[in-house]
PDB file of all heavy atoms in Angstrom:
ATOM      1  N   PHE A  12      -1.101  13.384  -5.310  1.00  0.00           N
ATOM      2  CA  PHE A  12      -1.856  14.026  -6.451  1.00  0.00           C
ATOM      3  C   PHE A  12      -1.350  15.434  -6.671  1.00  0.00           C
ATOM      4  O   PHE A  12      -1.040  16.178  -5.716  1.00  0.00           O
ATOM      5  CB  PHE A  12      -3.338  14.082  -6.085  1.00  0.00           C
ATOM      6  CG  PHE A  12      -4.084  12.815  -6.311  1.00  0.00           C
ATOM      7  CD1 PHE A  12      -4.083  11.843  -5.362  1.00  0.00           C
ATOM      8  CD2 PHE A  12      -4.760  12.602  -7.524  1.00  0.00           C
ATOM      9  CE1 PHE A  12      -4.756  10.641  -5.573  1.00  0.00           C
ATOM     10  CE2 PHE A  12      -5.449  11.421  -7.768  1.00  0.00           C
ATOM     11  CZ  PHE A  12      -5.439  10.460  -6.795  1.00  0.00           C
ATOM     12  N   GLY A  14      -2.756  18.810  -8.767  1.00  0.00           N
ATOM     13  CA  GLY A  14      -3.886  19.402  -9.507  1.00  0.00           C
ATOM     14  C   GLY A  14      -5.264  18.898  -9.080  1.00  0.00           C
ATOM     15  O   GLY A  14      -6.235  19.277  -9.660  1.00  0.00           O
ATOM     16  N   LEU A  15      -5.342  18.060  -8.022  1.00  0.00           N
ATOM     17  CA  LEU A  15      -6.601  17.628  -7.484  1.00  0.00           C
ATOM     18  C   LEU A  15      -7.193  18.736  -6.622  1.00  0.00           C
ATOM     19  O   LEU A  15      -6.539  19.153  -5.664  1.00  0.00           O
ATOM     20  CB  LEU A  15      -6.479  16.356  -6.699  1.00  0.00           C
ATOM     21  CG  LEU A  15      -7.779  15.760  -6.135  1.00  0.00           C
ATOM     22  CD1 LEU A  15      -8.637  15.228  -7.286  1.00  0.00           C
ATOM     23  CD2 LEU A  15      -7.434  14.598  -5.178  1.00  0.00           C
ATOM     24  N   ILE A  41     -10.078   7.512  -3.698  1.00  0.00           N
ATOM     25  CA  ILE A  41     -10.272   8.858  -3.203  1.00  0.00           C
ATOM     26  C   ILE A  41     -11.583   8.936  -2.492  1.00  0.00           C
ATOM     27  O   ILE A  41     -12.648   8.709  -3.076  1.00  0.00           O
ATOM     28  CB  ILE A  41     -10.214   9.892  -4.324  1.00  0.00           C
ATOM     29  CG1 ILE A  41      -8.947   9.787  -5.163  1.00  0.00           C
ATOM     30  CG2 ILE A  41     -10.370  11.307  -3.754  1.00  0.00           C
ATOM     31  CD1 ILE A  41      -8.995  10.605  -6.432  1.00  0.00           C
ATOM     32  N   THR A  47     -14.394  16.562  -4.634  1.00  0.00           N
ATOM     33  CA  THR A  47     -13.138  16.735  -5.333  1.00  0.00           C
ATOM     34  C   THR A  47     -13.440  17.055  -6.792  1.00  0.00           C
ATOM     35  O   THR A  47     -14.498  16.720  -7.308  1.00  0.00           O
ATOM     36  CB  THR A  47     -12.248  15.436  -5.271  1.00  0.00           C
ATOM     37  OG1 THR A  47     -12.933  14.392  -5.907  1.00  0.00           O
ATOM     38  CG2 THR A  47     -11.886  15.113  -3.846  1.00  0.00           C
ATOM     39  N   SER A  48     -12.448  17.686  -7.464  1.00  0.00           N
ATOM     40  CA  SER A  48     -12.554  17.970  -8.887  1.00  0.00           C
ATOM     41  C   SER A  48     -11.189  17.709  -9.539  1.00  0.00           C
ATOM     42  O   SER A  48     -10.160  17.818  -8.905  1.00  0.00           O
ATOM     43  CB  SER A  48     -12.925  19.440  -9.144  1.00  0.00           C
ATOM     44  OG  SER A  48     -14.186  19.702  -8.562  1.00  0.00           O
ATOM     45  N   SER A  49     -11.239  17.344 -10.813  1.00  0.00           N
ATOM     46  CA  SER A  49     -10.055  17.037 -11.569  1.00  0.00           C
ATOM     47  C   SER A  49     -10.189  17.585 -12.978  1.00  0.00           C
ATOM     48  O   SER A  49     -11.289  17.700 -13.517  1.00  0.00           O
ATOM     49  CB  SER A  49      -9.849  15.508 -11.652  1.00  0.00           C
ATOM     50  OG  SER A  49      -8.899  15.114 -12.584  1.00  0.00           O
ATOM     51  N   VAL A  50      -9.038  17.960 -13.591  1.00  0.00           N
ATOM     52  CA  VAL A  50      -9.012  18.411 -14.956  1.00  0.00           C
ATOM     53  C   VAL A  50      -8.109  17.501 -15.753  1.00  0.00           C
ATOM     54  O   VAL A  50      -6.937  17.296 -15.428  1.00  0.00           O
ATOM     55  CB  VAL A  50      -8.529  19.873 -15.050  1.00  0.00           C
ATOM     56  CG1 VAL A  50      -8.379  20.308 -16.542  1.00  0.00           C
ATOM     57  CG2 VAL A  50      -9.407  20.815 -14.279  1.00  0.00           C
ATOM     58  N   ALA A  51      -8.645  16.860 -16.816  1.00  0.00           N
ATOM     59  CA  ALA A  51      -7.845  15.917 -17.628  1.00  0.00           C
ATOM     60  C   ALA A  51      -6.611  16.646 -18.150  1.00  0.00           C
ATOM     61  O   ALA A  51      -6.677  17.785 -18.611  1.00  0.00           O
ATOM     62  CB  ALA A  51      -8.690  15.409 -18.781  1.00  0.00           C
ATOM     63  N   GLY A  52      -5.451  15.979 -18.028  1.00  0.00           N
ATOM     64  CA  GLY A  52      -4.215  16.534 -18.511  1.00  0.00           C
ATOM     65  C   GLY A  52      -3.470  17.396 -17.475  1.00  0.00           C
ATOM     66  O   GLY A  52      -2.293  17.638 -17.593  1.00  0.00           O
ATOM     67  N   ALA A  53      -4.182  17.836 -16.431  1.00  0.00           N
ATOM     68  CA  ALA A  53      -3.601  18.708 -15.426  1.00  0.00           C
ATOM     69  C   ALA A  53      -3.610  18.078 -14.043  1.00  0.00           C
ATOM     70  O   ALA A  53      -2.932  18.563 -13.129  1.00  0.00           O
ATOM     71  CB  ALA A  53      -4.288  20.059 -15.381  1.00  0.00           C
ATOM     72  N   THR A  54      -4.406  17.015 -13.858  1.00  0.00           N
ATOM     73  CA  THR A  54      -4.463  16.341 -12.573  1.00  0.00           C
ATOM     74  C   THR A  54      -3.839  14.960 -12.738  1.00  0.00           C
ATOM     75  O   THR A  54      -4.206  14.207 -13.673  1.00  0.00           O
ATOM     76  CB  THR A  54      -5.931  16.183 -12.071  1.00  0.00           C
ATOM     77  OG1 THR A  54      -6.518  17.483 -12.057  1.00  0.00           O
ATOM     78  CG2 THR A  54      -5.983  15.538 -10.691  1.00  0.00           C
ATOM     79  N   TYR A  55      -2.874  14.629 -11.894  1.00  0.00           N
ATOM     80  CA  TYR A  55      -2.182  13.375 -12.036  1.00  0.00           C
ATOM     81  C   TYR A  55      -1.644  12.895 -10.686  1.00  0.00           C
ATOM     82  O   TYR A  55      -1.546  13.643  -9.712  1.00  0.00           O
ATOM     83  CB  TYR A  55      -1.052  13.495 -13.083  1.00  0.00           C
ATOM     84  CG  TYR A  55      -0.061  14.583 -12.797  1.00  0.00           C
ATOM     85  CD1 TYR A  55       1.050  14.395 -12.024  1.00  0.00           C
ATOM     86  CD2 TYR A  55      -0.228  15.859 -13.398  1.00  0.00           C
ATOM     87  CE1 TYR A  55       1.981  15.374 -11.779  1.00  0.00           C
ATOM     88  CE2 TYR A  55       0.663  16.861 -13.160  1.00  0.00           C
ATOM     89  CZ  TYR A  55       1.791  16.642 -12.372  1.00  0.00           C
ATOM     90  OH  TYR A  55       2.705  17.613 -12.145  1.00  0.00           O
ATOM     91  N   ILE A  56      -1.290  11.609 -10.689  1.00  0.00           N
ATOM     92  CA  ILE A  56      -0.608  11.026  -9.565  1.00  0.00           C
ATOM     93  C   ILE A  56       0.877  10.876  -9.906  1.00  0.00           C
ATOM     94  O   ILE A  56       1.215  10.429 -11.005  1.00  0.00           O
ATOM     95  CB  ILE A  56      -1.130   9.602  -9.257  1.00  0.00           C
ATOM     96  CG1 ILE A  56      -2.641   9.673  -8.981  1.00  0.00           C
ATOM     97  CG2 ILE A  56      -0.441   9.000  -8.037  1.00  0.00           C
ATOM     98  CD1 ILE A  56      -3.322   8.262  -8.898  1.00  0.00           C
ATOM     99  N   GLY A  69      -6.802   2.890 -18.021  1.00  0.00           N
ATOM    100  CA  GLY A  69      -7.679   2.123 -17.179  1.00  0.00           C
ATOM    101  C   GLY A  69      -8.922   2.966 -16.878  1.00  0.00           C
ATOM    102  O   GLY A  69      -9.220   3.875 -17.597  1.00  0.00           O
ATOM    103  N   LEU A  70      -9.583   2.600 -15.761  1.00  0.00           N
ATOM    104  CA  LEU A  70     -10.870   3.202 -15.463  1.00  0.00           C
ATOM    105  C   LEU A  70     -10.905   3.979 -14.160  1.00  0.00           C
ATOM    106  O   LEU A  70     -10.249   3.537 -13.169  1.00  0.00           O
ATOM    107  CB  LEU A  70     -11.959   2.141 -15.389  1.00  0.00           C
ATOM    108  CG  LEU A  70     -12.205   1.397 -16.718  1.00  0.00           C
ATOM    109  CD1 LEU A  70     -13.197   0.267 -16.468  1.00  0.00           C
ATOM    110  CD2 LEU A  70     -12.675   2.320 -17.780  1.00  0.00           C
ATOM    111  N   ALA A  71     -11.579   5.071 -14.157  1.00  0.00           N
ATOM    112  CA  ALA A  71     -11.945   5.767 -12.925  1.00  0.00           C
ATOM    113  C   ALA A  71     -13.450   5.526 -12.725  1.00  0.00           C
ATOM    114  O   ALA A  71     -14.242   5.779 -13.636  1.00  0.00           O
ATOM    115  CB  ALA A  71     -11.675   7.278 -13.048  1.00  0.00           C
ATOM    116  N   ILE A  72     -13.802   4.996 -11.568  1.00  0.00           N
ATOM    117  CA  ILE A  72     -15.186   4.597 -11.320  1.00  0.00           C
ATOM    118  C   ILE A  72     -15.753   5.522 -10.271  1.00  0.00           C
ATOM    119  O   ILE A  72     -15.189   5.671  -9.179  1.00  0.00           O
ATOM    120  CB  ILE A  72     -15.199   3.136 -10.821  1.00  0.00           C
ATOM    121  CG1 ILE A  72     -14.527   2.212 -11.840  1.00  0.00           C
ATOM    122  CG2 ILE A  72     -16.608   2.704 -10.501  1.00  0.00           C
ATOM    123  CD1 ILE A  72     -14.116   0.860 -11.269  1.00  0.00           C
ATOM    124  N   PHE A  73     -16.890   6.140 -10.555  1.00  0.00           N
ATOM    125  CA  PHE A  73     -17.491   7.135  -9.715  1.00  0.00           C
ATOM    126  C   PHE A  73     -18.769   6.512  -9.079  1.00  0.00           C
ATOM    127  O   PHE A  73     -19.823   6.605  -9.666  1.00  0.00           O
ATOM    128  CB  PHE A  73     -17.857   8.375 -10.513  1.00  0.00           C
ATOM    129  CG  PHE A  73     -16.680   9.007 -11.150  1.00  0.00           C
ATOM    130  CD1 PHE A  73     -16.233   8.619 -12.402  1.00  0.00           C
ATOM    131  CD2 PHE A  73     -15.978  10.054 -10.489  1.00  0.00           C
ATOM    132  CE1 PHE A  73     -15.110   9.200 -12.978  1.00  0.00           C
ATOM    133  CE2 PHE A  73     -14.893  10.642 -11.093  1.00  0.00           C
ATOM    134  CZ  PHE A  73     -14.446  10.210 -12.349  1.00  0.00           C
ATOM    135  N   GLN A  77     -20.955   6.505 -12.862  1.00  0.00           N
ATOM    136  CA  GLN A  77     -20.265   6.685 -14.170  1.00  0.00           C
ATOM    137  C   GLN A  77     -18.883   6.129 -14.116  1.00  0.00           C
ATOM    138  O   GLN A  77     -18.310   5.867 -13.083  1.00  0.00           O
ATOM    139  CB  GLN A  77     -20.275   8.156 -14.591  1.00  0.00           C
ATOM    140  CG  GLN A  77     -19.504   9.073 -13.663  1.00  0.00           C
ATOM    141  CD  GLN A  77     -19.629  10.525 -14.059  1.00  0.00           C
ATOM    142  OE1 GLN A  77     -20.287  10.878 -15.035  1.00  0.00           O
ATOM    143  NE2 GLN A  77     -19.014  11.391 -13.304  1.00  0.00           N
ATOM    144  N   VAL A  78     -18.321   5.984 -15.342  1.00  0.00           N
ATOM    145  CA  VAL A  78     -16.964   5.502 -15.522  1.00  0.00           C
ATOM    146  C   VAL A  78     -16.295   6.426 -16.519  1.00  0.00           C
ATOM    147  O   VAL A  78     -16.887   6.875 -17.507  1.00  0.00           O
ATOM    148  CB  VAL A  78     -16.951   4.038 -16.076  1.00  0.00           C
ATOM    149  CG1 VAL A  78     -15.532   3.598 -16.385  1.00  0.00           C
ATOM    150  CG2 VAL A  78     -17.616   3.125 -15.065  1.00  0.00           C
ATOM    151  N   ALA A  79     -14.987   6.736 -16.306  1.00  0.00           N
ATOM    152  CA  ALA A  79     -14.188   7.508 -17.269  1.00  0.00           C
ATOM    153  C   ALA A  79     -12.817   6.862 -17.338  1.00  0.00           C
ATOM    154  O   ALA A  79     -12.403   6.154 -16.416  1.00  0.00           O
ATOM    155  CB  ALA A  79     -14.113   8.976 -16.796  1.00  0.00           C
ATOM    156  N   GLY A  80     -12.112   7.143 -18.411  1.00  0.00           N
ATOM    157  CA  GLY A  80     -10.782   6.571 -18.587  1.00  0.00           C
ATOM    158  C   GLY A  80      -9.673   7.457 -18.027  1.00  0.00           C
ATOM    159  O   GLY A  80      -9.796   8.668 -17.946  1.00  0.00           O
ATOM    160  N   PHE A  81      -8.591   6.816 -17.615  1.00  0.00           N
ATOM    161  CA  PHE A  81      -7.363   7.551 -17.235  1.00  0.00           C
ATOM    162  C   PHE A  81      -6.257   7.026 -18.118  1.00  0.00           C
ATOM    163  O   PHE A  81      -6.397   5.992 -18.813  1.00  0.00           O
ATOM    164  CB  PHE A  81      -7.007   7.334 -15.747  1.00  0.00           C
ATOM    165  CG  PHE A  81      -6.494   5.958 -15.402  1.00  0.00           C
ATOM    166  CD1 PHE A  81      -5.169   5.609 -15.644  1.00  0.00           C
ATOM    167  CD2 PHE A  81      -7.343   5.030 -14.850  1.00  0.00           C
ATOM    168  CE1 PHE A  81      -4.725   4.337 -15.319  1.00  0.00           C
ATOM    169  CE2 PHE A  81      -6.885   3.769 -14.557  1.00  0.00           C
ATOM    170  CZ  PHE A  81      -5.569   3.396 -14.793  1.00  0.00           C
ATOM    171  N   THR A  82      -5.138   7.733 -18.198  1.00  0.00           N
ATOM    172  CA  THR A  82      -3.984   7.329 -18.985  1.00  0.00           C
ATOM    173  C   THR A  82      -2.745   7.348 -18.146  1.00  0.00           C
ATOM    174  O   THR A  82      -2.680   8.017 -17.113  1.00  0.00           O
ATOM    175  CB  THR A  82      -3.787   8.241 -20.203  1.00  0.00           C
ATOM    176  OG1 THR A  82      -3.539   9.583 -19.727  1.00  0.00           O
ATOM    177  CG2 THR A  82      -5.013   8.224 -21.116  1.00  0.00           C
ATOM    178  N   ILE A  90       0.279   9.031 -13.631  1.00  0.00           N
ATOM    179  CA  ILE A  90      -1.020   8.540 -14.009  1.00  0.00           C
ATOM    180  C   ILE A  90      -1.936   9.781 -14.082  1.00  0.00           C
ATOM    181  O   ILE A  90      -2.135  10.477 -13.092  1.00  0.00           O
ATOM    182  CB  ILE A  90      -1.553   7.567 -12.920  1.00  0.00           C
ATOM    183  CG1 ILE A  90      -0.616   6.364 -12.853  1.00  0.00           C
ATOM    184  CG2 ILE A  90      -2.984   7.107 -13.347  1.00  0.00           C
ATOM    185  CD1 ILE A  90      -0.903   5.454 -11.675  1.00  0.00           C
ATOM    186  N   TYR A  91      -2.498  10.046 -15.278  1.00  0.00           N
ATOM    187  CA  TYR A  91      -3.309  11.213 -15.523  1.00  0.00           C
ATOM    188  C   TYR A  91      -4.789  10.892 -15.337  1.00  0.00           C
ATOM    189  O   TYR A  91      -5.292   9.934 -15.938  1.00  0.00           O
ATOM    190  CB  TYR A  91      -3.054  11.767 -16.928  1.00  0.00           C
ATOM    191  CG  TYR A  91      -1.740  12.510 -16.972  1.00  0.00           C
ATOM    192  CD1 TYR A  91      -0.558  11.811 -17.271  1.00  0.00           C
ATOM    193  CD2 TYR A  91      -1.664  13.845 -16.702  1.00  0.00           C
ATOM    194  CE1 TYR A  91       0.652  12.445 -17.353  1.00  0.00           C
ATOM    195  CE2 TYR A  91      -0.434  14.505 -16.775  1.00  0.00           C
ATOM    196  CZ  TYR A  91       0.721  13.780 -17.071  1.00  0.00           C
ATOM    197  OH  TYR A  91       1.933  14.461 -17.100  1.00  0.00           O
ATOM    198  N   MET A  92      -5.491  11.715 -14.585  1.00  0.00           N
ATOM    199  CA  MET A  92      -6.900  11.567 -14.275  1.00  0.00           C
ATOM    200  C   MET A  92      -7.811  12.108 -15.378  1.00  0.00           C
ATOM    201  O   MET A  92      -7.374  12.998 -16.113  1.00  0.00           O
ATOM    202  CB  MET A  92      -7.254  12.321 -12.977  1.00  0.00           C
ATOM    203  CG  MET A  92      -6.477  11.852 -11.731  1.00  0.00           C
ATOM    204  SD  MET A  92      -6.827  10.144 -11.287  1.00  0.00           S
ATOM    205  CE  MET A  92      -5.354   9.317 -11.955  1.00  0.00           C
ATOM    206  N   PRO A  93      -9.014  11.596 -15.463  1.00  0.00           N
ATOM    207  CA  PRO A  93     -10.013  12.234 -16.312  1.00  0.00           C
ATOM    208  C   PRO A  93     -10.571  13.463 -15.612  1.00  0.00           C
ATOM    209  O   PRO A  93     -10.272  13.767 -14.484  1.00  0.00           O
ATOM    210  CB  PRO A  93     -11.072  11.170 -16.430  1.00  0.00           C
ATOM    211  CG  PRO A  93     -11.028  10.416 -15.132  1.00  0.00           C
ATOM    212  CD  PRO A  93      -9.542  10.414 -14.776  1.00  0.00           C
ATOM    213  N   THR A  94     -11.459  14.185 -16.297  1.00  0.00           N
ATOM    214  CA  THR A  94     -12.108  15.359 -15.681  1.00  0.00           C
ATOM    215  C   THR A  94     -13.350  14.900 -14.879  1.00  0.00           C
ATOM    216  O   THR A  94     -14.089  14.038 -15.307  1.00  0.00           O
ATOM    217  CB  THR A  94     -12.607  16.331 -16.822  1.00  0.00           C
ATOM    218  OG1 THR A  94     -11.440  16.828 -17.465  1.00  0.00           O
ATOM    219  CG2 THR A  94     -13.404  17.469 -16.229  1.00  0.00           C
ATOM    220  N   TRP A  95     -13.495  15.505 -13.705  1.00  0.00           N
ATOM    221  CA  TRP A  95     -14.714  15.419 -12.918  1.00  0.00           C
ATOM    222  C   TRP A  95     -14.840  16.703 -12.109  1.00  0.00           C
ATOM    223  O   TRP A  95     -13.895  17.386 -11.863  1.00  0.00           O
ATOM    224  CB  TRP A  95     -14.810  14.171 -12.043  1.00  0.00           C
ATOM    225  CG  TRP A  95     -13.844  14.118 -10.885  1.00  0.00           C
ATOM    226  CD1 TRP A  95     -14.020  14.709  -9.660  1.00  0.00           C
ATOM    227  CD2 TRP A  95     -12.635  13.377 -10.779  1.00  0.00           C
ATOM    228  NE1 TRP A  95     -12.971  14.403  -8.810  1.00  0.00           N
ATOM    229  CE2 TRP A  95     -12.105  13.594  -9.502  1.00  0.00           C
ATOM    230  CE3 TRP A  95     -11.912  12.587 -11.659  1.00  0.00           C
ATOM    231  CZ2 TRP A  95     -10.899  13.002  -9.083  1.00  0.00           C
ATOM    232  CZ3 TRP A  95     -10.726  12.022 -11.240  1.00  0.00           C
ATOM    233  CH2 TRP A  95     -10.239  12.258  -9.964  1.00  0.00           C
ATOM    234  N   THR A  96     -16.119  17.026 -11.735  1.00  0.00           N
ATOM    235  CA  THR A  96     -16.339  18.275 -11.056  1.00  0.00           C
ATOM    236  C   THR A  96     -17.208  18.089  -9.816  1.00  0.00           C
ATOM    237  O   THR A  96     -18.294  17.485  -9.877  1.00  0.00           O
ATOM    238  CB  THR A  96     -17.101  19.254 -12.018  1.00  0.00           C
ATOM    239  OG1 THR A  96     -16.257  19.402 -13.199  1.00  0.00           O
ATOM    240  CG2 THR A  96     -17.257  20.640 -11.371  1.00  0.00           C
ATOM    241  N   ILE A 102     -14.221   7.690  -5.333  1.00  0.00           N
ATOM    242  CA  ILE A 102     -13.757   7.464  -6.723  1.00  0.00           C
ATOM    243  C   ILE A 102     -12.672   6.354  -6.624  1.00  0.00           C
ATOM    244  O   ILE A 102     -11.787   6.430  -5.801  1.00  0.00           O
ATOM    245  CB  ILE A 102     -13.128   8.718  -7.332  1.00  0.00           C
ATOM    246  CG1 ILE A 102     -14.193   9.820  -7.367  1.00  0.00           C
ATOM    247  CG2 ILE A 102     -12.556   8.443  -8.705  1.00  0.00           C
ATOM    248  CD1 ILE A 102     -13.662  11.186  -7.679  1.00  0.00           C
ATOM    249  N   ILE A 103     -12.796   5.363  -7.507  1.00  0.00           N
ATOM    250  CA  ILE A 103     -11.829   4.283  -7.589  1.00  0.00           C
ATOM    251  C   ILE A 103     -11.123   4.373  -8.927  1.00  0.00           C
ATOM    252  O   ILE A 103     -11.774   4.377  -9.979  1.00  0.00           O
ATOM    253  CB  ILE A 103     -12.488   2.916  -7.413  1.00  0.00           C
ATOM    254  CG1 ILE A 103     -13.155   2.809  -6.052  1.00  0.00           C
ATOM    255  CG2 ILE A 103     -11.460   1.790  -7.554  1.00  0.00           C
ATOM    256  CD1 ILE A 103     -14.061   1.636  -5.867  1.00  0.00           C
ATOM    257  N   ILE A 104      -9.805   4.457  -8.917  1.00  0.00           N
ATOM    258  CA  ILE A 104      -9.001   4.480 -10.122  1.00  0.00           C
ATOM    259  C   ILE A 104      -8.266   3.153 -10.137  1.00  0.00           C
ATOM    260  O   ILE A 104      -7.486   2.823  -9.208  1.00  0.00           O
ATOM    261  CB  ILE A 104      -8.027   5.628 -10.096  1.00  0.00           C
ATOM    262  CG1 ILE A 104      -8.784   6.956 -10.053  1.00  0.00           C
ATOM    263  CG2 ILE A 104      -7.087   5.614 -11.297  1.00  0.00           C
ATOM    264  CD1 ILE A 104      -8.432   7.844  -8.933  1.00  0.00           C
TER     265      ILE A 104
END
Side-chain angles (χ1 to χ4, degrees):
F12 279 85
L15 182 68
I41 303 170
T47 62
S48 297
S49 168
V50 176
T54 305
Y55 55 88
I56 303 170
L70 298 175
I72 304 160
F73 300 86
Q77 62 185 0
V78 175
F81 71 81
T82 61
I90 300 169
Y91 285 88
M92 300 296 101
T94 294
W95 69 81
T96 303
I102 299 167
I103 299 169
I104 298 124

